[in-house]
Amino acid sequence: MHDIKPSKIINIECINPLGKHNMVVHEWGDSSNPLVIICLHGLTRSAQDFFYLANQLKKKFRILAPDFVGRGESDWLENENLYQVSQYINDLNSMFIQLKLKKINLIGTSLGGLIGLLISSSVFNKEFKNYPFFLVFGSNVKSNNEIVYNSLVLNDFGAQVSIQSLFGLADQIDFDQNIEFKDFKEAVVLVKRLCKEFGPHSNSQWEVLTKSFLRPGEKNGTYKVHYDPKIVVQFRRAFSVFGGKNSANFFKLPDLSLWEFYDNLRCRTLLLRGKNSSVLNREVALEMTTRGPSPKLAEFVDIGHAPSLMHDDQISIIKSFLCSQ
C-alpha cells in the first residue's frame, strides 16, 4: 500500500462546550515557510485525501490539513450534537492561534468548501441567527480577525445548495459504519462504491482513498471506518428541522443560500466542479463566476461530487492558480 504519511503530525488542543479535545493536523513541506495552504476535507473524509496534492505543492508551500474532530486521527466527541460547523471553525481558530498563522490560502472540498467560504467572507462576523442554515450548522462561532485570507479554492461547493442534495450525501454513506474489515481489499470495494462519484481512478489512487478512509480495528490486522458513526447520525438529525425525506413538502424546501457570504469574499477564488455534480448545480456555478470574486470555473468530465484532487489536470489547475499570485 502507498505510504500516505505526512512530513509531520501536529496536535492542536481545542475547546468544546464539554471540555477539551485534540485535533490532529497533517503537515507537508517546510514548517518555516510563510506561504501556507490549509486543506479542508469533506464530511466523512480525512486529511490524508490531500496526499497527492500536498506532495505536488510542498516544495513551494507549507501544507496543513486538519482531521476535523471525530475523523482521522483526531479525538471523537462525547456529545454527537457538537459535530457542527461552528465547532470545526472554532477548532480551526485554535490551530491558527497555536501555529501563529497570519496569512493563508484555503482549499475546501464539500464540507471543507462550506467552511472555507464562511470564514473567508468579510461578513463572517455578523449575527448568524438571522441565517436559517445556522439552525443546522450552529451559531456559536468565534471569529478570528487576525487572519488574512489570500485565496480560496472551492471544490464542488457553491453559494446555493439544495436540501435534497444534502440528504443525498447522507444516503451515499448509508451502511453499517461499525463494520470491521479483515482484508484491505474488502474495504477498497466499499470505498469504490461509496466514492463512485469521484470518477475513474487508478488502483493506486483507490488504495490511497481507501487508506485515508480507515483506521486500525479492534483486532490485529483488521480495519474500521476512520470517523465516529455519530457524525452521520447528527448530520441526518440536523436536517430533520426541514421535515425529512418523507415530509410532504420535501421537494418544496428552499435551497440553503450562502450568497451574502459569497458576494462578500475579498480573496482570489477558484471554483472547481465535477460535471456530474449532485451538489453544485451548474447554473449556480455559472452565476458564481459573475458575482462576488468572479472566479474562473474549472469543470471535470465523468466526475460527480466531488473531484478528488488526485488527477494531474485537477492538480495543475490548482497549482497554476496558487502560484500565479
Side-chain angles (χ1 to χ4, degrees):
M1 291 187 290
H2 272 67
D3 184 359
I4 57 175
K5 292 181 180 179
S7 307
K8 183 179 178 182
I9 288 288
I10 303 170
N11 293 294
I12 300 296
E13 185 179 87
C14 303
I15 297 173
N16 66 69
L18 297 179
K20 296 180 180 179
H21 62 269
N22 182 63
M23 180 174 73
V24 166
V25 178
H26 302 252
E27 180 183 61
W28 290 267
D30 184 353
S31 297
S32 64
N33 190 342
L35 300 176
V36 178
I37 297 173
I38 309 292
C39 296
L40 306 176
H41 62 73
L43 178 68
T44 57
R45 300 301 304 178
S46 73
Q48 300 282 22
D49 279 353
F50 297 103
F51 165 76
Y52 275 78
L53 182 64
N55 278 288
Q56 288 288 318
L57 296 173
K58 67 182 181 181
K59 288 185 179 179
K60 181 162 184 178
F61 298 92
R62 176 191 186 190
I63 295 93
L64 297 167
D67 284 327
F68 291 135
V69 65
R71 287 91 164 167
E73 298 180 47
S74 293
D75 288 346
W76 290 8
L77 294 176
E78 197 174 317
N79 187 332
E80 63 204 54
N81 295 315
L82 300 180
Y83 287 126
Q84 295 186 21
V85 168
S86 54
Q87 184 64 58
Y88 310 146
I89 292 174
N90 289 339
D91 291 352
L92 287 176
N93 285 330
S94 295
M95 179 181 78
F96 298 157
I97 292 168
Q98 291 174 44
L99 298 184
K100 300 179 180 179
L101 302 178
K102 297 297 180 184
K103 186 176 182 180
I104 62 174
N105 303 279
L106 286 170
I107 300 174
T109 295
S110 194
L111 169 66
L114 165 64
I115 292 170
L117 172 58
L118 293 176
I119 64 177
S120 55
S121 175
S122 64
V123 296
F124 181 63
N125 292 331
K126 291 185 66 174
E127 177 52 68
F128 296 125
K129 291 179 181 177
N130 295 329
Y131 295 89
F133 69 85
F134 264 101
L135 292 172
V136 175
F137 299 132
S139 58
N140 184 26
V141 188
K142 296 176 182 178
S143 61
N144 188 328
N145 297 321
E146 302 297 320
I147 294 293
V148 174
Y149 296 98
N150 189 55
S151 64
L152 171 66
V153 178
L154 286 172
N155 184 23
D156 217 66
F157 193 87
Q160 186 173 320
V161 185
S162 75
I163 297 294
Q164 291 89 340
S165 70
L166 295 176
F167 272 103
L169 291 181
D171 287 341
Q172 288 177 22
I173 48 178
D174 189 13
F175 66 96
D176 179 6
Q177 287 154 50
N178 293 303
I179 187 172
E180 287 206 9
F181 303 95
K182 297 178 182 177
D183 188 332
F184 182 78
K185 291 179 180 178
E186 294 178 41
V188 172
V189 171
L190 174 64
V191 170
K192 282 185 175 181
R193 177 172 69 82
L194 297 177
C195 303
K196 62 183 178 181
E197 285 198 35
F198 287 14
H201 287 75
S202 67
N203 288 337
S204 61
Q205 288 170 332
W206 280 120
E207 180 183 292
V208 170
L209 284 167
T210 302
K211 194 171 182 184
S212 66
F213 192 69
L214 301 175
R215 65 191 297 163
E218 300 300 325
K219 298 178 182 177
N220 287 337
T222 63
Y223 308 91
K224 64 188 299 184
V225 173
H226 72 92
Y227 60 86
D228 185 346
K230 291 186 290 188
I231 288 171
V232 178
V233 175
Q234 168 61 11
F235 185 75
R236 290 180 181 278
R237 181 183 299 149
F239 285 98
S240 67
V241 300
F242 297 103
K245 287 183 67 174
N246 297 321
S247 167
N249 294 319
F250 178 69
F251 292 103
K252 299 178 183 178
L253 292 171
D255 291 348
L256 298 181
S257 177
L258 302 163
W259 284 111
E260 183 173 4
F261 292 93
Y262 179 78
D263 287 337
N264 284 281
L265 286 175
R266 297 292 180 262
C267 56
R268 298 170 65 250
T269 303
L270 173 66
L271 181 60
L272 308 179
R273 178 180 181 269
K275 276 203 169 183
N276 303 327
S277 177
S278 58
V279 172
L280 178 52
N281 180 282
R282 190 162 198 271
E283 286 69 30
V284 171
L286 290 174
E287 185 174 354
M288 289 172 70
T289 65
T290 67
R291 292 177 60 168
S294 301
K296 174 185 175 182
L297 170 63
E299 295 183 287
F300 305 104
V301 298
D302 299 324
I303 293 173
H305 182 76
S308 65
L309 310 186
M310 288 184 166
H311 296 293
D312 288 342
D313 59 337
Q314 298 170 15
I315 292 173
S316 65
I317 287 172
I318 294 173
K319 194 173 184 178
S320 176
F321 170 72
L322 292 172
C323 293
S324 65
Q325 48 194 312

